[in-house]
Amino acid sequence: MLDESPFGMILIDCARLLRARFDRALDDARLGLTAGEARALVYVCRHPGSRQSVLATHMWVEPMTLVGFLDRLEARGLVLREPDPADRRAKIVQPTPQAEPLALQVLEAFRTERESAMADLTAEEIVLLKDMLGRLRNRMIADDMIANDRGGAGQ
């Protein structure tokens, strides 16, 4: 019984190992970005004009975590934050013209590592794995939303 790895442990191990590969790829590419900054940059480019809070939700990070990433990206001239005309307390995040080429380099570094990690899988298996993981993620998101509507798990 203890010699069999539970599904969750395998999934967590894979996620951590892939994250370590992505960290090394960023270091090797010498882009000057941490993994968190790189993810934030890609999300800003994919969702230009979004509120910081919306970006944090998309990334599954706390808003204050994202603020740190955005501070460093803004200092490098990669993003702009402007007050939201509909709510002055909120900030809208826009990529600068320098952001997209760098985000494309990030995605290329990640693609290379992902392909290397999945080299033993067929194209059909990769499509199936992506579909199954997407469905698993969606189920967990739905479960979390239900739990949050009830006041949180265990309350």
Side-chain angles (χ1 to χ4, degrees):
M1 180 168 151
L2 288 178
D3 60 342
E4 183 179 320
S5 294
F7 170 77
M9 290 179 73
I10 293 170
L11 189 59
I12 290 168
D13 289 346
C14 286
R16 287 186 178 158
L17 290 164
L18 191 58
R19 171 73 185 259
R21 281 175 173 253
F22 287 167
D23 288 346
R24 280 193 306 274
L26 287 173
D27 288 344
D28 292 347
R30 292 180 166 67
L31 301 177
L33 297 170
T34 66
E37 293 163 358
R39 282 186 68 227
L41 181 65
V42 169
Y43 274 89
V44 168
C45 288
R46 284 186 174 158
H47 306 281
S50 293
R51 284 185 176 184
Q52 288 181 177
S53 59
V54 171
L55 289 171
T57 299
H58 283 304
M59 292 178 62
W60 291 95
V61 297
E62 292 295 321
M64 288 309 299
T65 300
L66 178 61
V67 166
F69 298 149
L70 293 177
D71 285 346
R72 292 187 293 277
L73 293 173
E74 189 171 41
R76 288 188 57 183
L78 297 169
V79 301
L80 296 173
R81 288 183 280 190
E82 304 161 341
D84 184 339
D87 181 353
R88 292 181 306 160
R89 298 168 298 172
K91 298 285 186 189
I92 298 292
V93 185
Q94 295 284 1
T96 65
Q98 299 88 344
E100 189 171 334
L102 191 57
L104 291 172
Q105 288 180 282
V106 166
L107 291 174
E108 178 60 22
F110 286 0
R111 183 195 59 77
T112 300
E113 286 305 315
R114 185 181 62 249
E115 286 178 359
S116 174
M118 300 176 98
D120 292 338
L121 301 177
T122 67
E124 294 81 17
E125 288 172 327
I126 292 170
V127 169
L128 185 59
L129 178 60
K130 185 176 177 181
D131 177 66
M132 290 187 300
L133 288 173
R135 290 185 356 233
L136 177 63
R137 179 186 60 198
N138 291 342
R139 172 78 267 145
M140 289 189 290
I141 290 169
D143 289 349
D144 283 351
M145 289 171 45
I146 291 168
N148 288 336
D149 286 345
R150 282 189 252 142
Q155 290 185 0

